[in-house]
Amino acid sequence: MSKIIEIIKDAKLTYHQKVVALARAAENSLDVLKIHPAVEELRQAGIICDLFEGHAPYRPRYVVPDYARFMQEGSEFLALTPPKTLEDAVHSLLILYKHVPSITTFPVYIGELDKLLEPFVKDDAASARTIKHFLRHIDRTITDSFCHGNLGPRDTLAGRLLLKAAAELQAAVPNLTLKCDHDTGDALLIQAVETALQTAKPSFANHAMFEADFGEDYAIVSCYNGLPVGGGSFTLVRLNLHRLALSTTDYAQFRNEALPQAVRQMLLYMDERVRFLVEESGFFAGNFLVVEKLLRLERFTAMFGVVGLAECVNHFLGNPTAKSARFGHSEEANSMGIEIIAQLAALVAGHTNSHLHFSQGRYLLHAQVGIDTDQGTSPGCRIPIGDEPELYEHIMQAAPFHQYFPSGIGDVFSFDSTVKSNPKFVVDILKGAFKNGLRYFSAYSADSDVVRITGYLVKRSEMAKLARDV
Amino acid sequence: MQGYVQKIIPFSAVDGPGNRTAVFLQGCNFTCAYCHNPETQMLYDSSLPGDGVRAIDHRDLGLEVLRYRDFIQGVTISGGECTLQYEFLLELSRYLQSFGIEVFVDTNAHLAPAAFQLLGRHVDKFIIDVKASDEGEHMALTGVGNNLVLANLRYALAEKLVYEIRTVIVPDVLNNEQTVAAISRLISADQQVRYKLIRFRPQGVIGAYARLPGPTDEYMAALQRLALAFGVKTCEKN
Ligand code: SF4
């Protein structure tokens, strides 16, 4: 109870943050999941982490509503008919966003915004203004950097208006991704790069690669997670390879015993979370998104996350002092990284759960971006910050890992501001990266106010204000 | 054929359109007072002690560059003054073009018109550095006159072989207005040609120019306005 009163009295929390924290405290007072002692041990050691998902899952972690269906059919539950004008469309979406569950209460996915709005926009000031208001409304009401909208791969007027508004607003929310393929013309790519150099978004998704994994109806949500539209991911739990490595005696033991055991325990733990959510929580029986088929059980999967590959590899190489011998640079280190991820992928693929309809019972791998307490452990398969090689080597090092992670992996590339006068420079690099198997690419300019912290965006000016306040 | 290479920058944003691999050849025929890399001026041969300069066959160099082909719009060969290794330059350019690579050559255009014109048939575009429009001033700055430069520039413009012209702006010593006006007048006939005004930076320069101030932002902006007033469509300054 002292926890509850602490939340209530916490002067730093907004009203809404208190409500969320109280709900979480209530959920976490329960003990309904059957957790094996071996899992509990790995959780206590920080090797397995459920990333604040809570003790009694009552909504999927990543909900990816079929917004196109909503625009076609409206919603009986929300008493909304299909929109006929841009005003209708924008307001319908903003209403629906407030009803999309997640573990933070804020939607992690807000739709393929260009496709949703294209039928209603005109090339005039009124449309531009409405779209700007729409994005501003999202930034001010969905106060969560993991909220993600999608654009592309086709060039549309709505897409251009959205990019222009994003550049003008310089807001952290929503995050945006442009899906790119050979049909995405240079003109749109250049506008998107110009926008990214101003406001650290959109990021760029390799459409051909995601399409091969998911079919056409996929979305990029939260940080950069690829997931099926009309479904999503029940859960995300992650394995910390760095911590796991530290608990082993040597590389052989890591590969032969520790990794297979940890993966097994984590999968059983995830199975239990999925079981409770699907079979007991009632979400799939009663939620209107399910009833109105904006979500369908058969479009769900779940995500097996991983962090700390770089540190894991460096550990087994004896933490070399020379950069040239470390992960990201040496041939030996990079091959060891691939060897570990390939083994991990095979172990995960060897396990099935009948609730994971979308992915034939398999969990999808996700290179998790980390949480703020992850000091000294790099996101997913990334090279530690400061250790990155030159751009070309960096891309070629990262690309081979991307095939293993359909539900998300990405690298962030920083460009100096001289590039702003030659955005085609970034477009050329982006195309080369995709041609060489990179799945997801984020660019930002070191001097813009909105900056990218691993997967999400923050405003530099607000961080500075916060630092002053504490 | 063997040539001498100073360095290769795999991804360059400032040597022409898009992403380009920039290849810097060794040796220069000017001795610009504001040169930032006088070590590239000396023509290289294998008897000289190496400071990063590599002797390399044009095909090997070409293959090195081709590694980046998925990522680049083209290649820019620069210097020093790359036309000093004329045969090598020609071979390298033809070799790269045979793989469909777009080749730009960044040159001061100080070479015999016949040689320049032949080169023009084996490159996609030139980037031409014009140091000064006045002959005497050019002589004082670089050690040579500019009649070849201007003749070749006129030819290249007429043949639509120019991507960009560049001039380094040094306040007080050079008559920048005169050069900018003269070049802008030449460019204005072709709206595709870009003009880039480069700020002189005393840091790292050896000799008398090290004590000169760089141009102010206002001065650079004024010269840019001048170029635009003469009908240049794209005038960048850095
Ligand atoms: S042309 Fe370039 S490399 Fe040659 S001396 Fe002048 S500044 Fe230096």
Side-chain angles (χ1 to χ4, degrees):
Chain A
M1 281 303 124
S2 73
K3 172 102 179 125
I4 305 282
I5 197 74
E6 262 171 43
I7 295 169
I8 288 174
K9 291 187 174 176
D10 191 331
K12 282 224 172 83
L13 297 177
T14 65
Y15 163 72
H16 183 258
Q17 285 166 333
K18 284 187 187 182
V19 174
V20 174
L22 289 169
R24 177 166 292 150
E27 180 190 349
N28 288 351
S29 71
L30 297 177
D31 204 5
V32 293
L33 298 178
K34 299 185 200 78
I35 301 178
H36 195 278
V39 169
E40 196 45 42
E41 209 175 291
L42 290 167
R43 287 180 62 197
Q44 291 306 326
I47 292 169
I48 288 178
C49 169
D50 64 27
L51 304 159
F52 321 113
E53 238 178 63
H55 292 188
Y58 57 97
R59 68 298 198 208
R61 182 174 192 123
Y62 298 119
V63 169
V64 187
D66 184 348
Y67 290 106
R69 184 184 175 96
F70 168 71
M71 296 298 253
Q72 294 273 316
E73 319 252 310
S75 165
E76 208 181 310
F77 181 84
L78 297 174
L80 290 170
T81 52
K84 292 192 186 66
T85 67
L86 185 59
E87 296 298 317
D88 297 346
V90 158
H91 285 284
S92 287
L93 287 170
L94 290 170
I95 291 166
L96 180 54
Y97 295 157
K98 292 175 180 63
H99 299 268
V100 176
S102 80
I103 61 157
T104 62
T105 76
F106 297 114
V108 292
Y109 175 62
I110 55 172
E112 299 190 283
L113 300 178
D114 53 353
K115 280 189 206 145
L116 297 172
L117 299 180
E118 184 67 5
F120 310 106
V121 294
K122 291 194 195 74
D123 195 3
D124 61 14
S127 287
R129 202 165 47 237
T130 303
I131 283 195
K132 198 163 167 182
H133 283 311
F134 173 61
L135 288 186
R136 186 186 284 120
H137 187 130
I138 292 169
D139 179 61
R140 302 303 194 273
T141 57
I142 304 178
T143 49
D144 179 7
S145 315
F146 294 96
C147 164
H148 212 127
N150 289 193
L151 305 170
R154 298 292 99 71
D155 192 349
T156 58
L157 174 61
R160 285 167 181 253
L161 291 174
L162 283 156
L163 286 175
K164 187 161 171 281
E168 287 168 7
L169 284 167
Q170 293 284 325
V173 182
N175 203 342
L176 293 170
T177 287
L178 176 67
K179 298 175 176 180
C180 311
D181 68 5
H182 42 80
D183 287 342
T184 314
D186 276 5
L188 180 62
L189 287 172
I190 285 173
Q191 192 194 351
V193 164
E194 282 169 344
T195 309
L197 293 175
Q198 287 173 62
T199 189
K201 61 188 170 184
S203 288
F204 302 86
N206 187 336
H207 183 61
M209 213 166 160
F210 277 106
E211 205 177 21
D213 289 322
F214 291 94
E216 208 193 326
D217 286 331
Y218 74 91
I220 305 297
V221 324
S222 191
C223 290
Y224 46 42
N225 319 355
L227 286 171
V229 169
S233 175
F234 294 129
T235 179
L236 164 65
V237 181
R238 73 166 203 195
L239 178 63
N240 187 326
L241 293 170
H242 180 204
R243 294 224 176 155
L244 183 63
L246 293 176
S247 76
T248 61
T249 52
D250 55 28
Y251 186 50
Q253 198 237 330
F254 172 83
R255 298 244 302 153
N256 299 333
E257 295 166 37
L259 185 62
Q261 277 163 22
V263 169
R264 171 106 198 112
Q265 293 306 334
M266 184 160 134
L267 287 165
L268 294 176
Y269 176 54
M270 294 177 79
D271 282 348
E272 174 61 6
R273 298 192 67 86
V274 172
R275 182 199 63 78
F276 184 85
L277 173 64
V278 178
E279 296 175 13
E280 292 197 39
S281 77
F283 180 86
F284 287 95
N287 189 284
F288 85 96
L289 296 169
V290 178
V291 174
E292 299 190 2
K293 297 199 171 62
L294 301 181
L295 294 178
R296 283 173 290 147
L297 194 51
E298 66 269 21
R299 298 285 294 169
F300 273 85
T301 180
M303 292 155 58
F304 187 107
V306 46
V307 287
L309 178 67
E311 288 76 12
C312 168
V313 167
N314 286 338
H315 169 77
F316 288 121
L317 293 175
N319 289 316
T321 42
K323 196 166 160 178
S324 60
R326 295 202 290 263
F327 181 77
H329 298 268
S330 103
E331 196 56 48
E332 187 194 359
N334 295 340
S335 328
M336 184 187 264
I338 290 287
E339 186 172 65
I340 292 169
I341 295 301
Q343 183 187 3
L344 177 73
L347 289 167
V348 173
H351 176 91
T352 54
N353 176 326
S354 60
H355 289 304
L356 308 181
H357 301 279
F358 175 78
S359 46
Q360 292 80 45
R362 303 305 193 295
Y363 286 93
L364 299 182
L365 281 192
H366 170 74
Q368 205 261 327
V369 295
I371 45 179
D372 48 9
T373 51
D374 281 342
Q375 295 259 334
T377 295
S378 298
C381 306
R382 277 202 206 142
I383 301 167
I385 289 175
D387 248 14
E388 299 97 333
E390 293 294 322
L391 202 45
Y392 171 75
E393 280 76 25
H394 190 173
I395 291 169
M396 296 310 273
Q397 192 277 347
F401 292 99
H402 283 214
Q403 58 180 307
Y404 295 103
F405 293 88
S407 72
I409 182 167
D411 286 273
V412 185
F413 303 97
S414 135
F415 293 91
D416 68 56
S417 55
T418 56
V419 168
K420 286 180 181 169
S421 55
N422 183 7
K424 172 76 167 32
F425 171 76
V426 181
V427 171
D428 287 339
I429 293 171
L430 178 68
K431 287 182 179 171
F434 284 172
K435 210 166 169 183
N436 284 275
L438 210 80
R439 183 183 285 280
Y440 195 79
F441 183 108
S442 300
Y444 73 98
S445 163
D447 60 358
S448 78
D449 186 31
V450 180
V451 290
R452 181 167 291 276
I453 304 213
T454 67
Y456 57 96
L457 307 172
V458 295
K459 278 179 84 94
R460 212 195 288 270
S461 49
E462 277 170 19
M463 298 285 275
K465 204 167 75 196
L466 239 109
R468 280 198 303 276
D469 288 351
V470 285
Chain B
M1 146 134 223
Q2 180 157 289
Y4 297 96
V5 176
Q6 239 281 325
K7 66 173 175 232
I8 296 174
I9 296 183
F11 292 179
S12 166
V14 294
D15 288 287
N19 182 22
R20 312 188 75 81
T21 299
V23 178
F24 296 86
L25 303 191
Q26 176 67 19
C28 194
N29 45 6
F30 285 8
T31 49
C32 297
Y34 53 54
C35 186
H36 276 90
N37 27 343
E39 70 280 0
T40 65
Q41 288 174 11
M42 198 184 339
L43 242 192
Y44 204 79
D45 72 55
S46 43
S47 67
L48 287 168
D51 51 348
V53 180
R54 283 190 295 155
I56 188 166
D57 183 82
H58 73 274
R59 281 172 300 242
D60 293 335
L61 179 56
L63 291 176
E64 225 178 288
V65 168
L66 283 167
R67 284 168 62 204
Y68 309 121
R69 70 184 300 180
D70 288 348
F71 294 85
I72 56 175
Q73 174 172 333
V75 172
T76 298
I77 309 171
S78 179
E81 173 48 42
C82 60
T83 59
L84 277 189
Q85 300 187 46
Y86 184 78
E87 296 296 330
F88 179 74
L89 174 62
L90 213 54
E91 291 291 317
L92 177 62
S93 182
R94 289 160 69 162
Y95 185 72
L96 289 170
Q97 282 188 330
S98 75
F99 288 93
I101 303 282
E102 175 193 84
V103 178
F104 280 22
V105 163
D106 179 351
T107 173
N108 61 28
H110 181 72
L111 69 162
F116 183 80
Q117 291 169 21
L118 175 63
L119 182 62
R121 287 199 276 283
H122 298 287
V123 305
D124 290 276
K125 293 269 181 191
F126 286 111
I127 293 172
I128 298 181
D129 300 289
V130 180
K131 315 276 181 186
S133 59
D134 178 76
E135 168 97 39
E137 192 174 286
H138 198 274
M139 183 77 87
L141 176 67
T142 69
V144 300
N146 65 3
N147 54 344
L148 287 176
V149 176
L150 296 179
N152 288 330
L153 175 62
R154 283 202 185 83
Y155 171 81
L157 282 170
E159 296 292 314
K160 301 250 180 263
L161 281 171
V162 182
Y163 171 73
E164 181 173 276
I165 300 176
R166 297 177 172 179
T167 297
V168 177
I169 305 301
V170 191
D172 306 339
V173 233
L174 298 180
N175 191 341
N176 304 292
E177 289 81 359
Q178 187 188 333
T179 301
V180 170
I183 298 304
S184 299
R185 214 175 286 129
L186 279 176
I187 298 182
S188 60
D190 185 347
Q191 298 284 297
Q192 296 299 319
V193 179
R194 305 151 55 97
Y195 194 16
K196 190 183 217 166
L197 305 179
I198 298 176
R199 195 186 283 268
F200 162 71
R201 291 185 168 83
Q203 299 82 3
V205 172
I206 301 162
Y209 272 54
R211 287 186 297 277
L212 291 177
T216 60
D217 290 346
E218 294 74 48
Y219 188 53
M220 293 298 286
L223 290 172
Q224 185 185 36
R225 281 196 300 276
L226 181 65
L228 296 174
F230 271 102
V232 174
K233 182 115 176 290
T234 317
C235 177
E236 236 187 90
K237 56 183 170 52
N238 74 353

